[in-house]
Amino acid sequence: MDLGWGNEKASKFLTNVGLITTVGPNGANIMAAEWTYYVSWSPALVSVHIGGGKTAKATAENIMATKEFGVSIAADDQNVIASIAGGSHGREVDKMKVLKEMGFAFSKSKHIKPELVSGAASLIECKLKEAVELGDHTMFVGEVLSIETDQSKEPLAYSFGKYYALGEMLHKPEQPILDKIEELKKKYEKK
Ligand SMILES: Cc1cc2nc3c(=O)[nH]c(=O)nc-3n(C[C@H](O)[C@H](O)[C@H](O)COP(=O)(O)O)c2cc1C
């Protein structure tokens, strides 16, 4: 079936916002990608899913040309950066200059050319492992070369076009419920 962009049936997914930085044929660029996932621990792999084919967007073309990209996981006070990064195209606007002129800071990476976004919750440097076209997006899988995480920051949450800060932490089940679960697991154990 075809869900299409903005279909309410797909409105209950909750994601974070990756700020994807690249330097390539389109110059230094930044885009927002809510479809940014941690997909393997060993080796550490992060995937970023970008609309269109392997070179459709400026970010995708930069990644294909240089085989590297930065992922800054936006903190919950960085929704303005996310909106700028996701609100125009790197072939038309120098978004890095816009952000810098607005006072947002970037830091140099250790292993790759693109800079990373200061104040983000996590800063990740990736080397492209593979690019796979999946439906109307391309999955860019990055091997993590380095990751720095600021434990004082909370990630920005995103759901159906709106930003959120993480709310109340829910507790795990109370002991009597855990005991009941154990009892039922024993009762329905597969022999
Ligand atoms: C919060 C937010 C999240 C987004 N997530 C994605 C995403 O996961 N994948 C995607 O292809 N575009 C996503 N976009 C749209 C792109 O950021 C947008 O198309 C951008 O212009 C691409 O940048 P570029 O053309 O400079 O490469 C998102 C936009 C916003 C504001």
Side-chain angles (χ1 to χ4, degrees):
M1 68 178 290
D2 184 351
L3 271 176
W5 188 83
N7 189 318
E8 287 211 340
K9 288 183 179 164
S11 64
K12 301 302 173 188
F13 288 90
L14 176 65
T15 56
N16 50 15
V17 180
L19 299 167
I20 314 305
T21 44
T22 52
V23 178
N26 300 292
N29 191 35
I30 182 166
M31 81 168 269
E34 59 158 325
W35 290 351
T36 299
Y37 306 102
Y38 190 20
V39 291
S40 165
W41 289 321
S42 306
L45 301 175
V46 166
S47 73
V48 176
H49 302 245
I50 301 180
K54 288 181 182 171
T55 56
K57 291 191 185 182
T59 299
E61 189 181 29
N62 276 359
I63 296 174
M64 288 310 292
T66 60
K67 313 282 186 239
E68 61 179 27
F69 55 97
V71 177
S72 304
I73 301 295
D76 60 8
D77 58 356
Q78 293 185 313
N79 54 321
V80 172
I81 303 180
S83 287
I84 293 168
S88 57
H89 303 294
R91 292 197 183 104
E92 294 161 9
V93 177
D94 189 334
K95 292 180 265 184
M96 294 295 287
K97 287 215 170 112
V98 171
L99 286 164
K100 286 178 184 179
E101 191 151 331
M102 285 185 75
F104 296 111
F106 292 81
S107 60
K108 292 235 172 301
S109 302
K110 289 191 279 258
H111 307 283
I112 60 174
K113 219 168 174 189
E115 294 178 314
L116 296 163
V117 183
S118 301
S122 285
L123 301 177
I124 308 167
E125 299 181 28
C126 293
K127 185 174 92 181
L128 182 67
K129 185 173 162 62
E130 57 182 309
V132 184
E133 289 189 20
L134 293 171
D136 57 15
H137 278 59
T138 300
M139 173 177 70
F140 293 88
V141 181
E143 194 184 322
V144 175
L145 302 176
S146 130
I147 176 164
E148 303 284 343
T149 291
D150 183 342
Q151 299 299 347
S152 72
K153 302 272 178 180
E154 294 290 353
L156 178 65
Y158 193 68
S159 182
F160 204 48
K162 292 194 168 60
Y163 300 112
Y164 298 87
L166 292 184
E168 183 194 354
M169 190 186 83
L170 301 177
H171 291 281
K172 292 196 173 159
E174 301 286 339
Q175 199 55 49
I177 296 175
L178 291 177
D179 293 344
K180 182 75 189 169
I181 293 169
E182 280 314 306
E183 185 192 313
L184 289 172
K185 273 162 61 183
K186 277 213 175 64
K187 184 173 169 187
Y188 292 107
E189 207 168 56
K190 293 180 184 169
K191 298 282 173 318

